[in-house]
């Protein structure tokens, strides 16, 4: 087999093989690039309000908290309560599936704030892989993927000949692909 045909076959086969990982790393990479706009791992549901009736939290904090939470229509059961330093009461909710929820009650203002954090299905798992939180074998998988991308880049550069080959056309695009990150790094350094 000639090296050009071998090169084309390697490029094609690695491209097909790594499509899933490329999509995972691309989607999670976009999500993780915008951490300042949102939390890509968790959906946050927050709302505030004022209770219609006044509750006496000093006698039986747990019972009063349970009644207050049911008044505002929170559908999750109460796990526990705690008294915070500022006098507010934090009610921890059993949201399930390692999700978290709480209601912070301000007895002085008779106000509440509900916060529910739920995992984003699929995107959270992609982010865990991208950040290598899984460790162990995933480190090897991501290293093999990185080597595969290097091979894809090299085989892709020399796959075409002639007018649109590397020597006449590709060298300029490869150069631009190298210069642009360097210029951005220098500007924002």
């Amino acid at each position: 087999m000639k090296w050009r045909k071998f090169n084309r076959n390697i490029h094609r086969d690695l491209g097909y093989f790594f499509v899933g990982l490329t999509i995972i790393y691309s989607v999670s990479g976009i999500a993780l690039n915008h951490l300042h706009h949102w939390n890509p791992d968790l959906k946050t549901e927050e709302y505030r309000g004022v209770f219609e009736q006044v509750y006496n939290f000093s006698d039986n904090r747990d019972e009063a908290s349970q009644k207050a939470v049911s008044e505002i229509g929170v559908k999750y059961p109460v796990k526990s309560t705690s008294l915070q330093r500022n006098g507010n009461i934090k009610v921890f909710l059993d949201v399930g599936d390692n999700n978290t929820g709480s209601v912070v009650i301000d007895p002085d203002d008779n106000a509440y704030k509900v916060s529910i954090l739920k995992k984003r299905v699929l995107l959270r798992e992609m982010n865990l892989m991208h950040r290598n939180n899984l460790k162990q074998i995933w480190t090897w998988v991501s290293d093999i993927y990185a080597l595969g991308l290097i091979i894809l880049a090299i085989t892709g550069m020399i796959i075409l000949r002639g007018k649109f080959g590397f020597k006449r056309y590709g060298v300029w695009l490869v150069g631009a692909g190298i210069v642009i990150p360097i210029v951005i790094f220098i500007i924002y350094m």
Side-chain angles (χ1 to χ4, degrees), residues 8-168:
R8 186 180 66 237
N9 291 345
I10 289 290
H11 186 79
R12 178 198 63 214
D13 294 346
L14 284 177
Y16 286 144
F17 185 74
F18 287 126
V19 129
L21 285 173
T22 301
I23 291 170
I24 287 171
Y25 275 100
S26 299
V27 169
S28 62
I30 291 168
L32 293 171
N33 277 344
H34 298 278
L35 289 174
H36 56 286
H37 293 297
W38 70 316
N39 183 339
D41 292 330
L42 301 169
K43 288 186 279 187
T44 305
E45 179 186 327
E46 286 187 344
Y47 54 94
R48 299 169 185 267
V50 177
F51 292 109
E52 291 177 9
Q53 68 180 59
V54 178
Y55 293 96
N56 183 0
F57 294 101
S58 58
D59 291 344
N60 188 339
R61 185 178 69 223
D62 290 339
E63 187 179 314
S65 299
Q66 181 70 49
K67 287 179 182 175
V69 167
S70 57
E71 177 196 316
I72 58 177
V74 173
K75 60 184 176 183
Y76 305 107
V78 173
K79 271 200 294 193
S80 63
T81 62
S82 72
L83 185 62
Q84 298 180 315
R85 288 183 186 166
N86 60 2
N88 289 349
I89 298 163
K90 187 164 189 175
V91 180
F92 297 94
L93 304 172
D94 185 8
V95 182
D97 293 333
N98 293 324
N99 297 316
T100 60
S102 65
V103 179
V104 176
I105 300 171
D106 183 349
D108 297 334
D109 294 337
N110 206 36
Y112 62 87
K113 176 185 173 190
V114 178
S115 300
I116 309 289
L117 295 173
K118 292 185 179 178
K119 290 188 271 185
R120 292 185 191 275
V121 180
L122 200 58
L123 186 56
R124 181 177 178 272
E125 286 75 13
M126 288 181 180
N127 293 335
L128 289 173
M129 287 186 254
H130 193 119
R131 290 187 298 243
N132 195 15
N133 291 26
L134 305 175
K135 305 291 182 209
Q136 299 165 353
I137 195 155
W138 189 255
T139 301
W140 289 100
V141 170
S142 59
D143 288 348
I144 291 167
Y145 174 61
L147 289 171
L149 287 179
I150 292 168
I151 294 168
L152 270 170
I154 293 168
T155 58
M157 283 192 307
I158 57 177
I159 214 163
L160 291 176
R161 290 190 280 188
K163 182 179 175 184
F164 293 105
F166 179 72
K167 289 180 185 175
R168 288 188 181 170

